[in-house]
Amino acid sequence: MGTTRKFLEELLAGNQRHVESLPDDYFAEVQTSQHPETVAICCSDSRVPQEHMWGFDHPGVVFTPSNIGNQVWDEDDGERIVDGGVLYPIHHTDTDAAAVVGHTGCGAVTAAYRVATGGELPGPQGVDKWVEMLVPVIEEALESDLIDRSVADERVIDQLVEYNVDYQAGFLRESEDVPDDVDVYGFVYDFQGVYGNEYGRAYLVNVNGETDSERIGELIPDEFATATESLLY
């Protein structure tokens, strides 16, 4: 209890610093409504700072749902539907862009990979549900010609992370619940130096279904040329 209470005090102190750092008008434009420009579905992971990774210093810009494996779907009566955390801003806050954000060394993809290759689910049930939904994606990836399985498992998993980002982005684009004019982007947040030597870079791997890094590079300003790489294409 002593250690737990100490951390509770750290949380309270951290929030106090947060409160003291905010200008008086910090929430002025979003107190009664929100109109985030993007909904970014991220993986639930303490190493992926959902707001700080984009460099915004004010609220209301990015709607940030997250779950195990940055999955854009949920299951309803046996049917896969777009998760409400993604759909809500698209339908109710004028949000017209969606980003799927995976990350290197993903534990969810690792767990699904182990199951797909004969291992056991990690447990408990609340975790297993999301891993099981991810397993078919991983199995499809392993059966494709995009994954180089001659490398170490850690590198295979990073390839699978990108594959999953593309798959989830594709599910969004194909869903009737997502309007055609909503742009869908795919990113892999790299804090391990897998894609390059810029730690913390969110590498752009998918733009509305385009996955060729050279073609993506033509869609963005030259100053971001190093922000698009691929382990698959």
Side-chain angles (χ1 to χ4, degrees):
M1 183 62 182
T3 302
T4 301
R5 180 165 295 175
K6 182 178 184 299
F7 185 67
L8 173 59
E9 293 175 0
E10 291 178 359
L11 289 176
L12 292 170
N15 180 247
Q16 179 67 22
R17 292 191 298 272
H18 170 68
V19 171
E20 294 172 350
S21 72
L22 298 181
D24 292 340
D25 61 349
Y26 186 72
F27 293 106
E29 295 183 2
V30 295
Q31 282 188 336
T32 59
S33 66
Q34 61 170 326
H35 301 283
E37 297 180 18
T38 301
V39 52
I41 179 75
C42 298
C43 184
S44 299
D45 194 294
S46 64
R47 301 166 295 181
V48 182
Q50 293 191 47
E51 293 179 344
H52 291 298
M53 66 188 293
W54 307 115
F56 293 114
D57 59 2
H58 53 285
V61 180
V62 182
F63 198 94
T64 56
S66 62
N67 60 44
I68 295 172
N70 47 270
Q71 300 180 64
V72 303
W73 52 42
D74 201 348
E75 289 189 351
D76 181 53
D77 197 24
E79 179 185 2
R80 293 206 175 186
I81 59 174
V82 178
D83 184 82
V86 179
L87 284 182
Y88 177 81
I90 290 173
H91 283 263
H92 298 287
T93 69
D94 302 321
T95 302
D96 56 9
V100 180
V101 186
H103 67 89
T104 54
C106 178
V109 171
T110 299
Y113 173 64
R114 289 173 178 166
V115 173
T117 53
E120 299 293 327
L121 287 165
Q125 184 176 356
V127 174
D128 288 349
K129 169 194 171 180
W130 291 95
V131 173
E132 287 182 309
M133 287 198 293
L134 197 55
V135 168
V137 179
I138 302 307
E139 290 177 335
E140 179 181 303
L142 294 175
E143 292 172 359
S144 75
D145 59 0
L146 296 175
I147 307 300
D148 179 6
R149 299 187 65 181
S150 68
V151 298
D153 276 0
E154 290 82 0
R155 298 288 75 83
V156 171
I157 289 166
D158 287 325
Q159 295 174 64
L160 294 172
V161 165
E162 184 175 328
Y163 188 97
N164 179 48
V165 166
D166 287 338
Y167 196 100
Q168 302 293 331
F171 186 85
L172 282 184
R173 294 180 65 246
E174 294 168 7
S175 172
E176 295 181 355
D177 290 327
V178 178
D180 292 339
D181 60 353
V182 172
D183 288 317
V184 180
Y185 309 125
F187 293 89
V188 177
Y189 185 74
D190 184 4
F191 55 83
Q192 297 176 325
V194 174
Y195 283 76
N197 59 5
E198 297 181 296
Y199 291 78
R201 171 73 73 185
Y203 286 92
L204 181 61
V205 299
N206 192 308
V207 176
N208 292 324
E210 178 59 69
T211 56
D212 183 278
S213 57
E214 291 187 2
R215 292 178 181 173
I216 292 175
E218 295 172 356
L219 302 175
I220 59 179
D222 291 342
E223 62 185 295
F224 305 123
T226 62
T228 176
E229 295 288 344
S230 176
L231 303 181
L232 303 179
Y233 302 98

